Amino acid sequence: MTDVQQPLDRLIDRRAFLARTAALATAATVGTVALPGLAGIASAAPSPASGPAVKFNPELDKGAAYNKPRESVMSDPTEWTLSEAAWMIRHNKIVPVELVQAYLDRIAAYDSTYQAFNLVTAEAALKAARQWANRPYRGPLHGIPLAIKDNYFTEGVLTTASSYLFQDFVPPYDATSVAKLTVQGGIVLGKTQMGPLATSRATLPNGQVTTINAWTPIDPSTNPGGSSTGTATAVAGRMATSGIGTQTGGSITAPSNAQNLTGIKPTMGRVSLAGIIPLTYSRDHPGPLARDAKDAAIMLMAMAGPDPADPRSQGLPPVPNLINAATPRYEGGNLRMRWKTRIGVLPGYADGTSETALARQAFLAKMAAIPECELVEVPLPDEWDLLTGSAFNNVRLPERSEPFMPYLRDDLRGFGVSVTSWLQGCLLDANGYVTGQRAKLLLLERILDQIFGSCDVVVQTGPVPFDIVGLPEIAFPIGFTGGGVPIGTILGGLPYAEDRLLSVVAAYQAVSDWHWQRPPNPPAAASAAARSAAAVPDRGRLTAEEVAELTQ
Amino acid sequence: MAPTPPTDDQLNTLIVAQLASLGIDLDQLPAGTVADPVTGSPGRDSVLASLRSFMRSTVPALAGYQMPTPDAGDPATAMALSQQPAPMLYPSISTEWRKP
């Protein structure tokens, strides 16, 4: 034997390392030498003052991204889905400034009732629209007006997260997601109302209810879903073509379900969290709230991918073409699943005779009738209620308090109505925190083995379990209550299975029409009353106890 | 023998002391149970009641959780739990990173 295993330091290519070091030294001296690989890292790494480096993604510009508007809505640009508006712009049937103006007109007419936005950047949006009209075509987001939740950094534009703590905060750069959307041609219409620091439904920091469910404009008590409420109401109320939110414990899926939208919460890491005010760094997920699966796919594909500014987003599988995945597949004129799919049905999901149960039964029956779709009963994993229940969900709380310690020391009242969970986070001992981290892995492995051992996607009765472990979920409409309030449901998937989830919802939306329904405009009286501050009826105020109860 | 559960007063002292050790003064909140009329911040007594509930529910529930015995072995030999899976902050990401 001549070979003796070398220690690891002998296995590193020291010559290449030294060569790179020498080249770097030269570059530092001369300042003009391009270094493949190294130069890219240097330019992509954001500094707090410069923001993320993002690039135009030509993969978005696929034929499947464009749909000619339905005849029934051809005359109203605010009725178009994103893919329909994209078709109209691509075919020069409308210019971006006309589309933006149509939305600004609706905002002017109705947002005093909806209160979906806390800031409308009308002039900047019109300016951007005029600029995009004279630039090379960028794909389906070219000239598309978007609503941005107010916890995403927007360069030069107030970003409050509905909190006293950030009431004067003007970020010096865009969040990576915002930068990615705008480099593709998206136009920011404004920032949307949200629950304080992404807790509860949208309110002012003191708990005063602001945003209403677009489906019940004369009943502010109807839950619009939180905490991405404003984005949901903006899209449902046809005040933006699409929008983005964040989810830590249901904040994309809940408002999507409440307002007849299709929202996708991607796998943890699939979308960068850089430039987003954090709530819980191991569980925050950025994602779109859209009108249907195709729109959600376009938005998510623009947002997704590795970001040097967020290590959670790196070392993951490449982003597949989600737009194709969200395109219904037909053979001989007959709809089929894009991929053969087994839908797991958890115990009790569709039991009973409530409106929700009946809608769930009808949804499952529709899916079962699509060729290559199979329903399978799956069990709840061992200790499901315990591992997804309150105590183990609370493991997230120290992640909430630790980054905010200076604020907690300075003035507790700065947290307004949502202070309680930050104080709870200060009290959870490290022993329990570590136990909780171990339990998350145990829960994930049980989900993978005991649920996904026999199915490809699974219905959800709540968003929290998959938020705890970072798995993807998609929310979409499946009906209405007798009172005209939307009913939605949630499907969960394997890690990085956003394409599969979108394909299932696209197939369902090809055989259902819930997602085409739009809420009626607010009655003129409601809008007029809302415009008069003195006449605005009190929408109520959430107490700290209620916020603690609602907070995920 | 199990220790006697703490009383409300003992828990209040613990909570106030723990927060004070972090530099947080609970007295910044309004006294009593009435919320601050401007900011909506809850009254101190309301917060203390909520924090006591947290200390009596979440903290012992997590501390008392027994991870399952590896490979269905003898529970008696697993009491030390020295071979538990490593804690994971991001389990879905770690699943991808752990692939061969």
Side-chain angles (χ1 to χ4, degrees):
Chain A
M1 285 184 54
T2 54
D3 271 343
V4 176
Q5 186 172 342
Q6 298 285 316
L8 191 59
D9 60 349
R10 298 294 182 190
L11 301 178
I12 293 174
D13 187 343
R14 298 173 68 86
R15 187 174 302 166
F17 175 77
L18 290 171
R20 278 160 46 116
T21 305
L24 268 178
T26 306
T29 305
V30 179
T32 55
V33 179
L35 296 176
L38 294 177
I41 292 170
S43 66
S47 68
S50 67
V54 297
K55 294 178 181 173
F56 163 61
N57 177 10
E59 276 296 297
L60 278 175
D61 190 18
K62 298 292 184 189
Y66 305 93
N67 288 328
K68 186 177 180 181
R70 295 151 288 152
E71 285 297 330
S72 59
V73 299
M74 182 62 91
S75 61
D76 184 351
T78 68
E79 281 278 11
W80 302 338
T81 64
L82 196 167
S83 65
E84 289 173 335
W87 189 95
M88 293 293 282
I89 290 174
R90 190 180 199 189
H91 290 84
N92 297 316
K93 306 289 187 188
I94 193 171
V95 294
V97 72
E98 293 174 295
L99 189 62
V100 167
Q101 190 60 59
Y103 281 110
L104 290 176
D105 289 347
R106 270 194 74 82
I107 291 170
Y110 300 117
D111 198 44
S112 52
T113 299
Y114 290 131
Q115 295 188 33
F117 290 91
N118 64 18
L119 182 69
V120 178
T121 51
E123 286 187 21
L126 287 169
K127 180 181 177 185
R130 284 190 287 269
Q131 289 173 334
W132 280 113
N134 297 313
R135 289 179 179 171
Y137 186 72
R138 279 297 175 92
L141 284 168
H142 188 113
I144 298 296
L146 303 173
I148 309 295
K149 187 177 181 179
D150 199 29
N151 54 352
Y152 285 80
F153 284 21
T154 41
E155 181 180 355
V157 175
L158 205 59
T159 297
T160 72
S162 190
S163 170
Y164 296 120
L165 305 179
F166 296 95
Q167 59 185 348
D168 301 316
F169 177 54
V170 179
Y173 59 92
D174 284 335
T176 299
S177 283
V178 174
K180 285 189 165 190
L181 289 166
T182 54
V183 82
Q184 306 292 146
I187 294 171
V188 176
L189 274 181
K191 306 297 289 293
T192 54
Q193 292 278 11
M194 55 184 285
L197 291 167
T199 59
S200 80
R201 69 181 281 185
T203 71
L204 299 179
N206 67 5
Q208 178 69 47
V209 171
T210 54
T211 316
I212 60 172
N213 189 321
W215 289 84
T216 59
I218 57 173
D219 180 13
S221 68
T222 303
N223 192 344
S227 65
S228 308
T229 318
T231 296
T233 299
V235 178
R238 295 189 284 124
M239 296 188 293
T241 312
S242 191
I244 56 177
T246 54
Q247 171 155 331
T248 303
S251 284
I252 289 174
T253 52
S256 294
N257 280 169
Q259 303 209 44
N260 209 48
L261 299 175
T262 301
I264 185 162
K265 186 214 79 163
T267 315
M268 167 55 66
R270 181 51 97 196
V271 176
S272 168
L273 279 153
I276 297 174
I277 294 171
L279 179 62
T280 304
Y281 60 78
S282 70
R283 285 177 46 167
D284 295 347
H285 303 77
L289 293 87
R291 290 186 175 166
D292 63 4
K294 177 63 65 65
D295 287 9
I298 293 168
M299 293 287 286
L300 180 57
M301 203 169 153
M303 300 165 73
D307 177 9
D310 185 355
R312 290 163 289 200
S313 69
Q314 298 176 60
L316 306 178
V319 182
N321 191 302
L322 302 176
I323 297 170
N324 289 342
T327 303
R329 171 186 164 224
Y330 291 90
E331 277 187 12
N334 298 316
L335 177 74
R336 307 181 76 85
M337 298 298 286
R338 176 156 292 276
W339 301 291
K340 187 175 181 180
T341 297
R342 299 163 298 170
I343 298 179
V345 182
L346 291 168
Y349 168 75
D351 290 354
T353 56
S354 68
E355 291 176 314
T356 297
L358 295 175
R360 288 176 171 181
Q361 292 161 20
F363 156 66
L364 292 176
K366 281 269 190 192
M367 294 308 303
I370 300 175
E372 299 182 353
C373 183
E374 180 188 0
L375 304 183
V376 294
E377 293 184 5
V378 295
L380 290 170
D382 298 343
E383 299 183 294
W384 178 258
D385 289 342
L386 176 67
L387 294 177
T388 64
S390 172
F392 281 86
N393 191 23
N394 282 344
V395 170
R396 75 202 187 284
L397 296 177
E399 299 177 33
R400 194 166 291 185
S401 44
E402 187 268 347
F404 283 84
M405 287 306 293
Y407 302 96
L408 288 164
R409 293 189 185 106
D410 184 52
D411 188 355
L412 291 174
R413 291 173 304 168
F415 290 82
V417 76
S418 62
V419 70
T420 306
S421 61
W422 270 262
L423 290 170
Q424 290 171 338
C426 297
L427 297 177
L428 187 61
D429 62 275
N431 188 73
Y433 182 74
V434 174
T435 298
Q437 303 309 324
R438 290 193 200 280
K440 289 203 297 193
L441 182 60
L442 180 68
L443 175 62
L444 175 68
E445 293 187 341
R446 285 179 176 172
I447 290 172
L448 298 182
D449 293 342
Q450 297 177 20
I451 291 181
F452 288 119
S454 56
C455 67
D456 304 297
V457 298
V458 62
V459 296
Q460 301 284 291
T461 53
V464 169
F466 274 36
D467 283 335
I468 290 176
V469 293
L471 292 181
E473 297 178 306
I474 191 166
F476 54 100
I478 59 170
F480 288 90
T481 68
V485 176
I487 299 172
T489 198
I490 307 172
L491 281 179
L494 284 157
Y496 316 104
E498 291 84 7
D499 53 353
R500 171 86 73 169
L501 292 171
L502 286 161
S503 77
V504 173
V505 176
Y508 177 66
Q509 292 181 339
V511 294
S512 64
D513 62 1
W514 310 115
H515 60 293
W516 294 129
Q517 309 298 317
R518 298 284 172 257
N521 292 333
S527 284
R531 272 191 286 274
S532 166
V536 173
D538 185 6
R539 294 181 170 184
R541 185 163 163 169
L542 298 186
T543 66
E545 288 75 19
E546 289 170 323
V547 169
E549 185 71 25
L550 292 168
T551 298
Q552 291 294 350
Chain B
M1 197 171 92
T4 305
T7 64
D8 279 5
D9 284 345
Q10 288 172 325
L11 272 182
N12 285 349
T13 301
L14 172 64
I15 291 165
V16 170
Q18 166 70 7
L19 293 176
S21 72
L22 300 176
I24 298 169
D25 181 5
L26 213 51
D27 287 346
Q28 293 172 345
L29 295 173
T33 58
V34 179
D36 181 67
V38 176
T39 65
S41 303
R44 196 184 315 146
D45 290 349
S46 301
V47 169
L48 270 174
S50 173
L51 297 180
R52 286 197 304 272
S53 173
F54 181 82
M55 294 294 287
R56 286 186 167 123
S57 54
T58 292
V59 171
L62 290 172
Y65 181 65
Q66 179 83 22
M67 294 290 284
T69 308
D71 301 325
D74 179 0
T77 63
M79 282 298 289
L81 297 171
S82 63
Q83 297 302 307
Q84 295 177 50
M88 292 282 180
L89 267 181
Y90 308 105
S92 58
I93 295 175
S94 69
T95 295
E96 188 62 30
W97 287 348
R98 283 182 289 137
K99 281 182 181 173

